[in-house]
Amino acid sequence: MALKIVYKICCGIDVHKTFVVACVASTSDKGITSYESHRFSTYTSGLKTLLQWLIDRNCKDVCMESTSKYWIPVYNILEKGCSIVLTHPKYVKAIRGKKTDKKDAKWIADLFKFGIVRSSFIPQKDFRILRELTRYKYKLVNMRSSEKNRYQNALTSGNCKLDMVFTDVFGKSASNIIDLILSDNPYTDEDILSKVHKNCKASPDMILNSINGTDLTPVQKSRIELVNDHIKQLSSNIQRLDKLIDLMIEPYEDYISFLCQIPGVSRNSAIIILSEIGVDMNQFTSSRRITSWAGL
Protein backbone atom coordinates (compact mmCIF):
# COMPACT_ATOMS: atom_id res chain seq x y z
CA MET A 1 0.00 0.00 0.00
CA ALA A 2 1.43 3.37 -1.05
CA LEU A 3 1.97 5.96 1.63
CA LYS A 4 -0.10 9.10 1.42
CA ILE A 5 1.71 12.41 1.46
CA VAL A 6 0.48 14.46 4.43
CA TYR A 7 2.69 17.54 4.03
CA LYS A 8 3.19 18.73 0.45
CA ILE A 9 5.70 21.32 1.61
CA CYS A 10 7.74 20.47 4.69
CA CYS A 11 11.24 20.72 6.08
CA GLY A 12 13.57 18.29 7.78
CA ILE A 13 16.33 19.77 9.94
CA ASP A 14 19.50 18.01 11.04
CA VAL A 15 20.62 19.76 14.23
CA HIS A 16 24.21 20.18 15.42
CA LYS A 17 25.86 22.39 18.03
CA THR A 18 27.18 25.08 15.70
CA PHE A 19 25.01 24.62 12.60
CA VAL A 20 21.83 23.10 11.24
CA VAL A 21 21.11 21.68 7.80
CA ALA A 22 17.58 22.27 6.54
CA CYS A 23 16.01 20.46 3.60
CA VAL A 24 12.68 21.62 2.19
CA ALA A 25 10.72 18.91 0.39
CA SER A 26 8.12 20.25 -2.07
CA THR A 27 5.76 17.70 -3.64
CA SER A 28 3.85 18.59 -6.82
CA ASP A 29 0.31 17.51 -7.65
CA LYS A 30 1.84 14.72 -9.74
CA GLY A 31 3.57 13.32 -6.67
CA ILE A 32 7.06 14.42 -7.68
CA THR A 33 9.15 15.77 -4.80
CA SER A 34 11.91 18.32 -5.25
CA TYR A 35 14.42 19.19 -2.55
CA GLU A 36 16.32 22.30 -1.53
CA SER A 37 18.94 22.19 1.19
CA HIS A 38 20.86 24.89 2.99
CA ARG A 39 23.17 25.14 5.99
CA PHE A 40 22.63 27.77 8.70
CA SER A 41 24.53 28.90 11.78
CA THR A 42 22.95 28.28 15.19
CA TYR A 43 23.62 31.87 16.23
CA THR A 44 20.32 33.71 16.68
CA SER A 45 20.95 35.72 13.52
CA GLY A 46 21.48 32.50 11.56
CA LEU A 47 18.31 30.92 12.97
CA LYS A 48 16.30 34.02 12.07
CA THR A 49 17.67 33.70 8.56
CA LEU A 50 16.51 30.06 8.57
CA LEU A 51 13.01 31.12 9.62
CA GLN A 52 12.82 33.69 6.83
CA TRP A 53 14.19 31.10 4.38
CA LEU A 54 11.33 28.77 5.31
CA ILE A 55 8.71 31.53 5.10
CA ASP A 56 9.95 32.51 1.65
CA ARG A 57 9.37 28.91 0.53
CA ASN A 58 5.91 28.78 2.11
CA CYS A 59 7.11 26.03 4.45
CA LYS A 60 5.32 26.07 7.79
CA ASP A 61 5.72 22.42 8.81
CA VAL A 62 9.10 21.48 10.22
CA CYS A 63 10.53 18.30 11.74
CA MET A 64 13.81 18.03 13.63
CA GLU A 65 15.62 15.71 16.00
CA SER A 66 15.80 16.36 19.74
CA THR A 67 19.60 16.38 19.69
CA SER A 68 20.92 17.00 23.21
CA LYS A 69 20.00 20.59 24.14
CA TYR A 70 20.99 21.94 20.75
CA TRP A 71 17.41 21.82 19.43
CA ILE A 72 16.12 24.32 22.00
CA PRO A 73 17.50 27.55 20.44
CA VAL A 74 16.27 26.36 17.04
CA TYR A 75 12.82 25.61 18.45
CA ASN A 76 12.66 28.99 20.23
CA ILE A 77 13.10 30.87 16.97
CA LEU A 78 11.12 28.66 14.58
CA GLU A 79 8.04 28.30 16.79
CA LYS A 80 7.25 31.95 16.06
CA GLY A 81 6.41 31.17 12.44
CA CYS A 82 6.28 27.38 12.00
CA SER A 83 4.52 24.30 13.28
CA ILE A 84 7.32 22.11 14.65
CA VAL A 85 7.43 18.39 15.24
CA LEU A 86 10.27 17.42 17.56
CA THR A 87 11.15 13.75 17.43
CA HIS A 88 13.57 11.37 19.12
CA PRO A 89 16.60 10.56 16.91
CA LYS A 90 15.76 6.84 17.02
CA TYR A 91 12.57 7.49 15.04
CA VAL A 92 14.40 9.17 12.15
CA LYS A 93 17.63 7.18 12.17
CA ALA A 94 19.17 7.15 8.71
CA ILE A 95 20.35 4.00 6.94
CA ARG A 96 23.88 3.02 7.95
CA GLY A 97 26.48 4.00 5.39
CA LYS A 98 24.26 6.69 3.89
CA LYS A 99 24.79 9.37 6.50
CA THR A 100 25.78 12.92 5.69
CA ASP A 101 24.32 16.14 7.07
CA LYS A 102 22.39 16.86 3.87
CA LYS A 103 21.18 13.28 3.53
CA ASP A 104 20.09 13.23 7.16
CA ALA A 105 17.99 16.38 6.66
CA LYS A 106 16.51 14.94 3.44
CA TRP A 107 15.73 11.64 5.17
CA ILE A 108 13.90 13.47 7.99
CA ALA A 109 11.93 15.48 5.42
CA ASP A 110 11.01 12.29 3.51
CA LEU A 111 9.73 10.58 6.65
CA PHE A 112 7.92 13.68 7.81
CA LYS A 113 6.08 14.36 4.55
CA PHE A 114 4.27 11.03 4.97
CA GLY A 115 3.33 11.88 8.56
CA ILE A 116 5.02 8.79 10.00
CA VAL A 117 7.33 10.61 12.43
CA ARG A 118 6.47 10.22 16.11
CA SER A 119 6.27 13.61 17.79
CA SER A 120 7.52 14.53 21.26
CA PHE A 121 5.35 16.71 23.49
CA ILE A 122 6.70 20.24 23.90
CA PRO A 123 4.65 22.58 26.13
CA GLN A 124 4.26 26.30 25.55
CA LYS A 125 7.21 28.54 26.31
CA ASP A 126 5.81 29.76 29.65
CA PHE A 127 5.50 26.18 30.85
CA ARG A 128 8.93 25.25 29.52
CA ILE A 129 10.38 28.05 31.66
CA LEU A 130 8.26 26.97 34.63
CA ARG A 131 9.45 23.39 34.16
CA GLU A 132 13.08 24.54 34.25
CA LEU A 133 12.39 26.28 37.57
CA THR A 134 10.56 23.35 39.20
CA ARG A 135 13.17 20.83 38.07
CA TYR A 136 15.97 23.05 39.33
CA LYS A 137 14.19 23.44 42.66
CA TYR A 138 13.87 19.66 42.89
CA LYS A 139 17.63 19.31 42.42
CA LEU A 140 18.38 21.95 45.06
CA VAL A 141 16.01 20.32 47.57
CA ASN A 142 17.74 16.97 47.02
CA MET A 143 21.12 18.62 47.37
CA ARG A 144 20.04 20.25 50.64
CA SER A 145 18.83 16.89 51.97
CA SER A 146 22.23 15.37 51.14
CA GLU A 147 24.01 18.22 52.91
CA LYS A 148 21.80 17.81 55.99
CA ASN A 149 22.72 14.12 56.12
CA ARG A 150 26.39 15.04 55.76
CA TYR A 151 26.04 17.60 58.57
CA GLN A 152 24.47 15.05 60.91
CA ASN A 153 27.04 12.38 60.04
CA ALA A 154 29.82 14.85 60.82
CA LEU A 155 28.35 15.43 64.28
CA THR A 156 28.06 11.69 64.88
CA SER A 157 31.71 11.24 63.86
CA GLY A 158 32.62 13.65 66.63
CA ASN A 159 30.63 11.70 69.28
CA CYS A 160 27.86 14.29 69.34
CA LYS A 161 24.55 12.40 69.69
CA LEU A 162 22.04 15.25 69.63
CA ASP A 163 20.07 13.39 66.95
CA MET A 164 19.11 10.84 69.64
CA VAL A 165 17.51 13.58 71.73
CA PHE A 166 16.13 16.03 69.18
CA THR A 167 13.91 14.97 66.31
CA ASP A 168 15.38 17.74 64.18
CA VAL A 169 19.00 18.74 64.76
CA PHE A 170 18.26 21.86 62.70
CA GLY A 171 15.64 23.01 65.20
CA LYS A 172 16.17 26.09 67.33
CA SER A 173 17.39 24.35 70.52
CA ALA A 174 19.69 21.87 68.78
CA SER A 175 21.12 24.57 66.50
CA ASN A 176 21.90 26.83 69.45
CA ILE A 177 23.69 23.99 71.24
CA ILE A 178 25.70 23.07 68.13
CA ASP A 179 26.70 26.70 67.59
CA LEU A 180 28.01 26.79 71.16
CA ILE A 181 29.94 23.53 70.69
CA LEU A 182 31.48 24.74 67.42
CA SER A 183 32.63 28.01 68.96
CA ASP A 184 36.11 28.26 70.46
CA ASN A 185 34.69 29.55 73.74
CA PRO A 186 34.62 27.24 76.80
CA TYR A 187 31.15 26.30 78.03
CA THR A 188 29.52 24.63 81.04
CA ASP A 189 26.46 22.43 81.46
CA GLU A 190 24.51 25.52 82.46
CA ASP A 191 25.54 27.22 79.22
CA ILE A 192 24.26 24.23 77.23
CA LEU A 193 20.92 24.11 79.06
CA SER A 194 20.44 27.85 78.65
CA LYS A 195 20.26 27.29 74.88
CA VAL A 196 17.32 24.91 75.20
CA HIS A 197 13.84 26.23 74.47
CA LYS A 198 11.47 26.13 77.45
CA ASN A 199 9.00 23.92 75.57
CA CYS A 200 11.61 21.29 74.75
CA LYS A 201 10.40 17.81 75.76
CA ALA A 202 13.88 16.33 76.26
CA SER A 203 15.11 16.25 79.85
CA PRO A 204 18.28 18.14 80.86
CA ASP A 205 20.05 14.84 81.66
CA MET A 206 19.32 13.44 78.20
CA ILE A 207 20.60 16.60 76.53
CA LEU A 208 23.81 16.66 78.56
CA ASN A 209 24.42 12.93 77.98
CA SER A 210 24.03 13.40 74.23
CA ILE A 211 26.93 15.85 74.06
CA ASN A 212 29.06 14.27 76.80
CA GLY A 213 32.30 13.14 75.19
CA THR A 214 31.90 15.29 72.11
CA ASP A 215 35.34 15.51 70.52
CA LEU A 216 35.56 17.66 67.41
CA THR A 217 38.90 18.82 66.07
CA PRO A 218 39.21 22.35 64.66
CA VAL A 219 39.22 20.89 61.15
CA GLN A 220 36.02 18.93 61.83
CA LYS A 221 34.38 22.05 63.21
CA SER A 222 35.37 24.02 60.14
CA ARG A 223 33.92 21.32 57.89
CA ILE A 224 30.62 21.33 59.79
CA GLU A 225 30.45 25.11 59.48
CA LEU A 226 31.09 24.88 55.72
CA VAL A 227 28.31 22.34 55.30
CA ASN A 228 25.96 24.46 57.41
CA ASP A 229 26.74 27.55 55.34
CA HIS A 230 25.98 25.57 52.18
CA ILE A 231 22.63 24.44 53.64
CA LYS A 232 21.71 28.04 54.39
CA GLN A 233 22.72 29.12 50.89
CA LEU A 234 20.66 26.34 49.33
CA SER A 235 17.65 27.29 51.48
CA SER A 236 18.02 30.90 50.37
CA ASN A 237 18.16 29.88 46.70
CA ILE A 238 15.11 27.64 47.11
CA GLN A 239 13.18 30.60 48.58
CA ARG A 240 14.20 32.75 45.61
CA LEU A 241 13.06 30.01 43.24
CA ASP A 242 9.72 29.80 45.04
CA LYS A 243 9.18 33.52 44.43
CA LEU A 244 9.97 33.12 40.73
CA ILE A 245 7.63 30.13 40.48
CA ASP A 246 4.82 32.00 42.25
CA LEU A 247 5.28 34.84 39.78
CA MET A 248 5.09 32.43 36.83
CA ILE A 249 1.90 30.69 37.99
CA GLU A 250 -0.13 33.79 38.84
CA PRO A 251 -2.15 33.56 35.58
CA TYR A 252 -2.82 29.85 36.21
CA GLU A 253 -4.06 29.88 39.81
CA ASP A 254 -7.43 28.44 38.72
CA TYR A 255 -5.66 25.39 37.28
CA ILE A 256 -3.62 24.99 40.46
CA SER A 257 -6.79 25.11 42.60
CA PHE A 258 -8.44 22.54 40.34
CA LEU A 259 -5.50 20.14 40.57
CA CYS A 260 -5.40 20.52 44.36
CA GLN A 261 -8.88 18.98 44.48
CA ILE A 262 -7.31 15.63 43.56
CA PRO A 263 -6.75 13.58 46.75
CA GLY A 264 -3.09 13.60 47.73
CA VAL A 265 -2.11 16.48 45.43
CA SER A 266 -0.60 19.40 47.34
CA ARG A 267 -0.05 22.86 45.92
CA ASN A 268 3.61 22.07 45.24
CA SER A 269 2.64 18.86 43.43
CA ALA A 270 0.01 20.75 41.42
CA ILE A 271 2.64 23.26 40.29
CA ILE A 272 4.96 20.44 39.21
CA ILE A 273 2.16 18.71 37.26
CA LEU A 274 1.24 21.97 35.54
CA SER A 275 4.87 22.65 34.64
CA GLU A 276 5.18 19.21 33.02
CA ILE A 277 1.93 19.04 31.01
CA GLY A 278 0.81 22.63 30.54
CA VAL A 279 -2.89 23.37 30.02
CA ASP A 280 -3.46 22.02 26.51
CA MET A 281 -4.85 18.53 27.06
CA ASN A 282 -5.32 17.95 23.32
CA GLN A 283 -1.70 16.83 23.24
CA PHE A 284 -2.64 13.64 25.07
CA THR A 285 -4.78 10.96 23.45
CA SER A 286 -5.70 9.18 26.69
CA SER A 287 -5.63 9.53 30.47
CA ARG A 288 -2.98 6.81 30.52
CA ARG A 289 -0.61 8.92 28.42
CA ILE A 290 -1.07 12.05 30.49
CA THR A 291 -0.52 10.25 33.82
CA SER A 292 2.56 8.57 32.36
CA TRP A 293 3.99 11.91 31.22
CA ALA A 294 3.24 13.69 34.51
CA GLY A 295 4.69 10.84 36.56
CA LEU A 296 1.42 10.16 38.40
Side-chain angles (χ1 to χ4, degrees):
M1 183 177 67
L3 292 173
K4 181 181 178 181
I5 293 177
V6 178
Y7 303 103
K8 288 190 174 181
I9 303 177
C10 65
C11 179
I13 300 180
D14 187 36
V15 181
H16 298 266
K17 181 178 181 179
T18 58
F19 69 91
V20 298
V21 176
C23 178
V24 172
S26 302
T27 305
S28 66
D29 294 335
K30 295 181 180 181
I32 299 174
T33 303
S34 59
Y35 302 92
E36 183 179 359
S37 298
H38 202 279
R39 176 170 164 160
F40 299 89
S41 165
T42 51
Y43 288 124
T44 301
S45 58
L47 296 177
K48 287 182 177 179
T49 302
L50 166 60
L51 176 59
Q52 188 59 49
W53 185 77
L54 293 171
I55 293 174
D56 292 343
R57 284 149 185 79
N58 196 30
C59 180
K60 295 184 179 180
D61 297 297
V62 176
C63 178
M64 63 180 178
E65 296 176 324
S66 55
T67 306
S68 185
K69 296 293 184 181
Y70 305 144
W71 63 270
I72 297 177
V74 184
Y75 194 100
N76 289 340
I77 299 298
L78 295 189
E79 71 174 335
K80 299 172 184 176
C82 299
S83 175
I84 306 172
V85 168
L86 185 73
T87 185
H88 194 282
K90 68 181 180 181
Y91 297 124
V92 289
K93 189 175 182 180
I95 301 172
R96 184 176 296 179
K98 301 291 184 180
K99 285 178 64 63
T100 65
D101 295 329
K102 286 188 177 181
K103 287 182 179 179
D104 281 351
K106 180 177 178 294
W107 176 254
I108 295 171
D110 279 335
L111 294 177
F112 183 51
K113 73 181 180 182
F114 293 116
I116 59 176
V117 176
R118 186 172 177 179
S119 175
S120 299
F121 167 62
I122 305 297
Q124 300 172 6
K125 188 169 185 178
D126 282 352
F127 294 105
R128 297 202 300 270
I129 297 172
L130 179 61
R131 184 170 60 182
E132 290 174 357
L133 295 177
T134 55
R135 290 183 178 182
Y136 183 44
K137 178 185 173 181
Y138 177 75
K139 289 184 178 181
L140 291 187
V141 169
N142 286 340
M143 192 181 300
R144 183 176 62 180
S145 297
S146 296
E147 288 292 77
K148 285 185 174 182
N149 289 335
R150 187 171 289 110
Y151 181 88
Q152 190 161 313
N153 290 338
L155 291 174
T156 302
S157 298
N159 287 24
C160 182
K161 307 294 290 183
L162 283 172
D163 59 313
M164 295 179 62
V165 177
F166 296 100
T167 304
D168 182 12
V169 295
F170 296 93
K172 188 173 183 180
S173 296
S175 295
N176 289 338
I177 293 172
I178 293 171
D179 288 341
L180 182 60
I181 292 173
L182 295 179
S183 68
D184 294 328
N185 301 322
Y187 56 85
T188 63
D189 290 350
E190 288 74 19
D191 294 329
I192 293 293
L193 296 177
S194 68
K195 301 296 182 181
V196 180
H197 193 272
K198 62 181 180 179
N199 293 329
C200 180
K201 295 180 180 180
S203 67
D205 288 341
M206 291 175 62
I207 295 172
L208 294 175
N209 285 335
S210 69
I211 63 168
N212 185 28
T214 298
D215 184 21
L216 293 168
T217 67
V219 174
Q220 285 178 305
K221 290 181 178 181
S222 296
R223 175 172 175 262
I224 292 172
E225 289 173 346
L226 283 172
V227 174
N228 195 30
D229 288 343
H230 193 201
I231 292 172
K232 291 178 181 178
Q233 182 61 49
L234 288 170
S235 296
S236 175
N237 288 344
I238 290 170
Q239 289 177 358
R240 291 175 63 187
L241 273 175
D242 282 334
K243 291 180 181 179
L244 290 175
I245 291 170
D246 287 340
L247 187 64
M248 289 287 300
I249 64 170
E250 276 184 2
Y252 307 103
E253 282 293 344
D254 290 343
Y255 294 96
I256 297 296
S257 299
F258 180 76
L259 287 170
C260 286
Q261 295 177 23
I262 302 173
V265 175
S266 64
R267 177 177 174 81
N268 186 59
S269 297
I271 293 172
I272 293 173
I273 293 171
L274 191 68
S275 71
E276 294 293 336
I277 65 176
V279 295
D280 184 9
M281 297 300 101
N282 293 324
Q283 298 283 348
F284 304 97
T285 56
S286 67
S287 59
R288 191 171 184 176
R289 287 197 65 187
I290 191 171
T291 52
S292 174
W293 182 268
L296 297 176

